[in-house]
Amino acid sequence: MKIIYECPQSKGIRVSTVLAFLFVFAALILGIYFFTEMKRSLEAIILTSVLLLVAFSSFLVFPLYIISDDEGIGIRTLIRTIRIPFQNIDHIERLDGGERVFGIKNAVRIFGIGGVFGFIGWFRMKGVGTFRSYITDEKKTFLIYRKDGLPIAISVSEPEEFLPYYLKGGAK
């Protein structure tokens, strides 16, 4: 049986996403205006291309939903589904515990996005080490420890339902 858990964005993530896109939009408008006033259309094209590439690339990698089925767990983004077979899962821990997972004291971003659409990329946290993150709501976070590879952090819409489903080994 396949269960799909949405990846809801927390209020803070939604606000930072809107602010970031407003900033990108304002930078595009101002950049194009000033560069065209100075008769520098090549610079305007380069600025527009870079800003749109950054905005579009963050949109491609943010998690849409988590798929849990008889074979394992999948993280669906716009460009691909990352599959984690049950055989490769060592254990899963819930990370929220009432405190912010990605507070300044807890996690350091190595590479990725820290707020726009979520916390996506590679992070490092004391006690966990380096891990991949696909978190959209810090209060609904799980850390999947794999037998092979880095741990993966995810957030799901129904955290009380997700862990028991995994512990049963899916719907077998």
Side-chain angles (χ1 to χ4, degrees):
M1 180 163 98
K2 181 190 293 188
I3 297 179
I4 296 176
Y5 300 97
E6 292 183 19
C7 296
Q9 292 182 344
S10 67
K11 185 178 179 181
I13 297 295
R14 285 193 305 266
V15 168
S16 66
T17 301
V18 168
L19 290 175
F21 277 95
L22 286 175
F23 174 76
V24 167
F25 182 71
L28 282 172
I29 299 299
L30 289 172
I32 292 170
Y33 173 75
F34 286 121
F35 283 128
T36 53
E37 285 293 316
M38 295 186 293
K39 308 270 191 277
R40 294 186 169 179
S41 58
L42 179 62
E43 288 89 345
I45 292 170
I46 292 171
L47 173 71
T48 303
S49 301
V50 168
L51 287 173
L52 290 176
L53 180 66
V54 168
F56 189 66
S57 65
S58 65
F59 183 69
L60 289 176
V61 297
F62 99 94
L64 300 169
Y65 52 86
I66 306 296
I67 305 164
S68 188
D69 57 21
D70 296 337
E71 298 168 7
I73 297 170
I75 304 162
R76 181 69 185 137
T77 67
L78 279 177
I79 56 174
R80 69 181 187 149
T81 300
I82 298 128
R83 297 289 307 165
I84 309 166
F86 277 127
Q87 297 83 8
N88 193 23
I89 298 174
D90 186 39
H91 67 284
I92 298 178
E93 290 180 5
R94 184 139 183 210
L95 273 186
D96 59 321
E99 62 185 52
R100 293 177 54 90
V101 175
F102 289 100
I104 192 73
K105 297 179 183 175
N106 293 335
V108 175
R109 180 178 53 231
I110 296 171
F111 178 78
I113 307 164
V116 178
F117 290 119
F119 297 96
I120 304 158
W122 287 268
F123 290 80
R124 184 164 188 78
M125 188 164 52
K126 186 176 182 180
V128 175
T130 303
F131 61 97
R132 288 173 52 191
S133 175
Y134 294 93
I135 294 178
T136 57
D137 188 348
E138 294 177 273
K139 295 181 180 176
K140 299 175 180 180
T141 301
F142 289 92
L143 189 61
I144 303 170
Y145 288 93
R146 301 185 297 168
K147 293 176 183 171
D148 297 323
L150 295 174
I152 297 179
I154 61 171
S155 57
V156 296
S157 56
E158 302 293 331
E160 294 79 21
E161 192 180 291
F162 176 74
L163 195 56
Y165 183 85
Y166 162 72
L167 292 175
K168 287 189 331 190
K172 295 178 182 175

